[in-house]
Amino acid sequence: MPSQVIEVIDSHTEGEPTRIIYRGGPELGDGPLPQRVIRFRQEFDEVRRGVINEPRGNDVLVGGLLCQPHDESCSFAVIFFNNHGYLGMCGHGMIGFLVTLKHLGLVDSGEHRIETPVGVVTATLQGDHRVTIENVPSFRYLKDVEIDSEPLGRVVGDVAWGGNWFFLVKNLQEDLDIRNVDRLTWLTKSIRDQLTRQQITGIDNAWIDHMEIFAEAKSSDCDSKNFVLCPGSAYDRSPCGTGTSAKLACLAADGKLQPGQIWRQESIIGSSFQGQYRQPSEQELQAMAQFSESLTPEQPVIVPSITGSAYVCGETKLIFDAADPFRQGIPV
């Protein structure tokens, strides 16, 4: 059996790595993207594991598969994944994706519509590195959810959608410092486990797989600092694009942020995203059919925009030798 070669471009967005498969990836057909994700998971999951996990990757890495879009209004499509499984959207990954397309000579500066499994994202490339993504519509689903966690006591937070499901913790006073990541990881894993035990979910029993803690920003240019735990239990080095979208939705619901008002979110390593939002159109609201029946007027929907910078840092041919016992990655 011959070796398989998969070609990838590596980048990082505000410190968080992205690996885009642009040649040699699995052929998933041309159906709707959610159907292709199912096929990816059922028939080609060894590709995800082999690209992301050791010895070729690591637990913080987010991957993406460049695809042909199903939506004719889009120029490209992408399916994001990590060490745990498949992601609905990925904000830092989308910024890295567009910079990767620029590196490959597939796009120029300007606006591009990109299809994801949870909707269309408009990404605008400004030069070689700076990107603004207008994310999928986002909203707060549950406010002031209380859980009782044995190591932490009473924890209060909001459940919100920003392209992935988030629990945004409100009442923990923690030192959000890079030297404190072991404790922060333990805390957020404990919170996520308790949410699961108490059967607190997103819409349609969706697993709340991202945890987010906030503190006062250490940079004078930012409004807040965060720590984000991703599914698979790695922490986000960037401020998290879908997490910042979820934060903007909560701020908008509380009347603390107005349309067009800038919010600057600092990450655990000191990098930052700039965020703002607008009101959705009727067409955008209609496209949220999977969510709209579960929402009330007290759960306003916003369209967030996130701006950050990405840099290409590698071009790699990944070799999957048929004789390699770890060609499908080391399970962690």
XYZ file of all heavy atoms in Angstrom, residues 136-180:
369
model
N -21.121 34.195 11.828
C -22.524 33.781 11.774
C -23.289 34.499 12.886
O -22.704 34.918 13.898
C -22.641 32.251 11.943
C -21.980 31.539 10.781
C -22.043 31.785 13.262
N -24.601 34.690 12.734
C -25.385 35.330 13.795
C -25.180 34.635 15.136
O -25.110 33.405 15.228
C -26.818 35.184 13.294
C -26.685 35.185 11.796
C -25.426 34.408 11.536
N -25.089 35.450 16.192
C -24.766 34.959 17.529
C -25.794 35.478 18.524
O -26.449 36.492 18.280
C -23.354 35.420 17.923
O -22.395 34.988 16.962
N -25.919 34.792 19.674
C -26.941 35.180 20.645
C -26.650 34.547 22.002
O -25.926 33.554 22.104
C -28.339 34.744 20.176
C -28.441 33.263 19.893
C -28.775 32.362 20.894
C -28.197 32.767 18.619
C -28.863 31.003 20.642
C -28.269 31.404 18.354
C -28.614 30.519 19.368
N -27.209 35.162 23.039
C -27.209 34.537 24.367
C -28.463 33.682 24.495
O -29.575 34.158 24.268
C -27.180 35.592 25.472
C -27.171 34.957 26.873
C -26.912 35.962 27.970
N -27.980 36.946 28.080
C -27.880 38.061 28.799
N -26.750 38.338 29.434
N -28.880 38.910 28.858
N -28.285 32.463 24.913
C -29.399 31.526 25.044
C -29.931 31.475 26.473
O -31.140 31.524 26.703
C -28.944 30.141 24.587
C -29.960 29.045 24.746
C -31.260 29.205 24.274
C -29.608 27.839 25.351
C -32.194 28.185 24.422
C -30.529 26.814 25.488
C -31.819 26.994 25.021
O -32.744 25.980 25.166
N -29.030 31.383 27.460
C -29.427 31.308 28.866
C -28.626 32.321 29.667
O -27.406 32.444 29.500
C -29.185 29.905 29.434
C -29.922 28.735 28.759
C -29.435 27.410 29.326
C -31.429 28.875 28.926
N -29.294 33.036 30.565
C -28.651 34.064 31.389
C -28.560 33.600 32.843
O -29.494 32.996 33.373
C -29.452 35.371 31.305
C -28.869 36.496 32.138
C -29.717 37.764 32.025
C -29.140 38.899 32.865
N -29.949 40.130 32.784
N -27.433 33.902 33.468
C -27.226 33.676 34.900
C -27.539 32.245 35.314
O -28.281 31.987 36.270
C -28.066 34.657 35.720
C -27.593 36.094 35.583
O -26.419 36.297 35.209
O -28.397 37.008 35.834
N -26.962 31.312 34.584
C -27.095 29.894 34.943
C -26.207 29.620 36.158
O -25.038 30.000 36.184
C -26.680 29.005 33.764
C -26.683 27.537 34.171
C -27.599 29.239 32.568
N -26.769 28.967 37.161
C -26.016 28.629 38.367
C -25.710 27.138 38.407
O -26.593 26.318 38.159
C -26.810 29.021 39.624
C -27.032 30.505 39.765
C -27.641 30.869 41.118
O -27.578 30.014 42.027
O -28.174 31.981 41.250
N -24.462 26.828 38.714
C -24.078 25.439 38.936
C -23.336 25.363 40.259
O -22.743 26.345 40.719
C -23.211 24.872 37.793
C -21.892 25.640 37.683
C -23.969 24.886 36.475
C -20.908 24.991 36.731
N -23.373 24.193 40.861
C -22.638 23.940 42.103
C -21.511 22.970 41.792
O -21.751 21.807 41.464
C -23.568 23.357 43.172
C -24.599 24.367 43.631
O -24.208 25.529 43.836
O -25.781 23.998 43.760
N -20.290 23.475 41.890
C -19.120 22.669 41.610
C -18.356 22.466 42.908
O -18.009 23.434 43.594
C -18.229 23.364 40.569
O -17.071 22.609 40.312
N -18.114 21.205 43.252
C -17.506 20.897 44.549
C -16.197 21.643 44.813
O -16.025 22.190 45.905
C -17.293 19.386 44.667
C -16.739 18.958 46.012
C -16.658 17.460 46.134
O -17.385 16.758 45.409
O -15.864 16.984 46.958
N -15.296 21.746 43.849
C -14.057 22.483 44.172
C -14.225 23.999 44.147
O -13.402 24.721 44.695
C -13.097 22.034 43.076
C -13.966 21.680 41.927
C -15.203 21.099 42.537
N -15.314 24.495 43.513
C -15.438 25.936 43.281
C -16.584 26.585 44.035
O -16.598 27.798 44.220
C -15.630 26.201 41.777
C -14.571 25.632 40.845
C -14.973 25.862 39.390
C -13.215 26.238 41.124
N -17.579 25.806 44.426
C -18.775 26.388 45.018
C -19.742 26.839 43.936
O -19.840 26.241 42.869
N -20.453 27.930 44.200
C -21.473 28.429 43.272
C -20.793 29.161 42.110
O -20.027 30.090 42.318
C -22.421 29.368 44.001
C -23.455 30.056 43.135
C -24.390 30.869 44.016
N -25.225 31.766 43.254
C -24.887 33.014 42.920
N -23.708 33.500 43.301
N -25.714 33.785 42.232
N -21.099 28.729 40.893
C -20.569 29.350 39.680
C -21.747 29.847 38.853
O -22.729 29.129 38.650
C -19.722 28.361 38.855
C -19.263 28.995 37.549
C -18.514 27.887 39.663
N -21.654 31.092 38.380
C -22.721 31.715 37.592
C -22.169 32.102 36.225
O -21.058 32.638 36.117
C -23.273 32.973 38.295
C -24.383 33.610 37.462
C -23.781 32.623 39.683
N -22.948 31.834 35.173
C -22.502 32.208 33.840
C -23.641 32.199 32.839
O -24.769 31.796 33.152
N -23.341 32.648 31.640
C -24.299 32.667 30.537
C -23.942 31.592 29.521
O -22.758 31.287 29.301
C -24.292 34.032 29.829
C -24.833 35.152 30.699
O -25.458 34.858 31.735
O -24.623 36.326 30.335
N -24.958 31.045 28.886
C -24.777 30.126 27.762
C -25.051 30.903 26.478
O -26.112 31.523 26.344
C -25.718 28.914 27.865
C -25.593 28.030 26.622
C -25.431 28.116 29.133
N -24.090 30.901 25.555
C -24.245 31.696 24.332
C -23.663 30.956 23.140
O -22.754 30.123 23.270
C -23.569 33.064 24.495
N -24.200 31.307 21.968
C -23.756 30.741 20.689
C -22.982 31.796 19.914
O -23.455 32.918 19.738
C -24.965 30.287 19.873
C -24.679 29.939 18.444
C -24.877 30.717 17.344
C -24.157 28.686 17.960
N -24.505 30.044 16.202
C -24.055 28.798 16.545
C -23.749 27.505 18.571
C -23.578 27.751 15.748
C -23.271 26.465 17.780
C -23.194 26.597 16.395
N -21.779 31.442 19.463
C -20.983 32.323 18.617
C -20.400 31.587 17.421
O -19.373 31.985 16.897
N -21.077 30.490 17.035
C -20.535 29.566 16.033
C -20.126 28.260 16.670
O -19.999 27.228 16.023
N -19.921 28.280 17.988
C -19.785 27.135 18.891
C -20.525 27.515 20.174
O -20.847 28.687 20.403
C -18.308 26.847 19.200
C -17.515 26.470 17.963
O -17.795 25.476 17.300
N -16.506 27.270 17.648
N -20.785 26.533 21.032
C -21.483 26.797 22.291
C -20.497 27.119 23.405
O -19.506 26.426 23.588
C -22.345 25.604 22.695
C -23.607 25.509 21.901
C -23.895 24.629 20.903
C -24.754 26.358 22.030
N -25.148 24.873 20.398
C -25.699 25.926 21.069
C -25.071 27.433 22.857
C -26.945 26.529 20.922
C -26.308 28.043 22.714
C -27.238 27.590 21.759
N -20.814 28.187 24.167
C -19.943 28.686 25.222
C -20.684 28.806 26.538
O -21.873 29.130 26.578
C -19.395 30.078 24.860
C -18.300 30.043 23.831
C -18.608 29.945 22.484
C -16.968 30.096 24.202
C -17.620 29.890 21.534
C -15.964 30.046 23.260
C -16.278 29.947 21.921
N -19.942 28.585 27.628
C -20.382 28.983 28.961
C -19.440 30.084 29.410
O -18.237 29.873 29.581
C -20.341 27.806 29.941
C -20.946 28.134 31.273
C -22.320 28.243 31.414
C -20.155 28.333 32.399
C -22.901 28.537 32.648
C -20.717 28.628 33.632
C -22.100 28.737 33.754
N -19.984 31.294 29.576
C -19.197 32.474 29.916
C -19.348 32.751 31.406
O -20.405 33.206 31.864
C -19.647 33.683 29.086
C -19.487 33.536 27.564
C -20.759 32.972 26.932
C -19.139 34.855 26.915
N -18.295 32.456 32.161
C -18.336 32.545 33.620
C -18.295 34.003 34.058
O -17.502 34.797 33.545
C -17.168 31.765 34.235
C -17.217 31.838 35.756
C -17.194 30.305 33.772
N -19.142 34.338 35.039
C -19.264 35.734 35.478
C -18.616 36.020 36.828
O -18.170 37.144 37.068
C -20.749 36.121 35.571
C -21.462 36.222 34.248
C -22.896 36.671 34.470
C -23.591 37.013 33.166
N -24.963 37.520 33.390
N -18.599 35.046 37.725
C -18.334 35.382 39.124
C -17.022 34.839 39.680
O -16.814 34.878 40.891
C -19.486 34.899 40.006
C -19.572 33.384 40.081
O -19.301 32.694 39.104
N -19.937 32.862 41.244
N -16.129 34.322 38.855
C -14.853 33.839 39.368
C -13.808 34.944 39.291
O -13.631 35.576 38.239
C -14.375 32.619 38.573
C -15.147 31.316 38.767
C -14.443 30.188 38.028
C -15.297 30.964 40.240
N -13.117 35.171 40.381
C -12.047 36.154 40.431
C -10.717 35.404 40.359
O -10.185 34.967 41.379
C -12.145 36.981 41.718
C -13.466 37.699 41.888
C -13.735 38.705 40.785
O -12.838 39.448 40.380
N -14.964 38.744 40.286
N -10.210 35.241 39.146
C -8.982 34.485 38.933
C -7.929 35.363 38.272
O -8.251 36.293 37.524
C -9.252 33.255 38.060
C -10.110 32.192 38.718
C -9.412 31.505 39.875
O -8.172 31.369 39.819
O -10.103 31.094 40.830
N -6.684 35.049 38.545
C -5.564 35.741 37.916
C -5.347 35.140 36.530
O -4.830 34.028 36.406
C -4.311 35.590 38.774
C -3.110 36.324 38.176
O -3.313 37.166 37.277
O -1.971 36.041 38.616
N -5.767 35.870 35.491
C -5.623 35.372 34.124
C -4.221 35.712 33.629
O -3.997 36.690 32.912
C -6.700 35.959 33.217
C -8.149 35.653 33.595
C -9.081 35.992 32.440
C -8.328 34.204 34.029
N -3.287 34.868 34.008
C -1.879 35.033 33.673
C -1.384 33.731 33.062
O -1.804 32.637 33.473
C -1.076 35.388 34.927
C 0.372 35.737 34.604
O 1.186 34.803 34.441
O 0.674 36.944 34.502
N -0.503 33.827 32.088
C 0.005 32.647 31.397
C 0.641 31.664 32.379
O 0.625 30.448 32.159
C 1.008 33.063 30.289
C 1.370 31.869 29.398
C 2.247 33.703 30.884
C 0.238 31.351 28.584
N 1.171 32.163 33.489
C 1.794 31.281 34.478
C 0.755 30.513 35.287
O 1.115 29.609 36.058
C 2.679 32.109 35.414
C 3.889 32.747 34.719
C 4.557 33.782 35.583
N 3.672 34.938 35.800
C 4.044 36.047 36.447
N 5.280 36.141 36.928
N 3.201 37.050 36.602
N -0.507 30.842 35.095
C -1.580 30.249 35.891
C -2.449 29.298 35.069
O -3.550 28.936 35.490
C -2.458 31.375 36.466
C -3.241 30.957 37.700
O -2.832 30.054 38.420
N -4.374 31.605 37.930
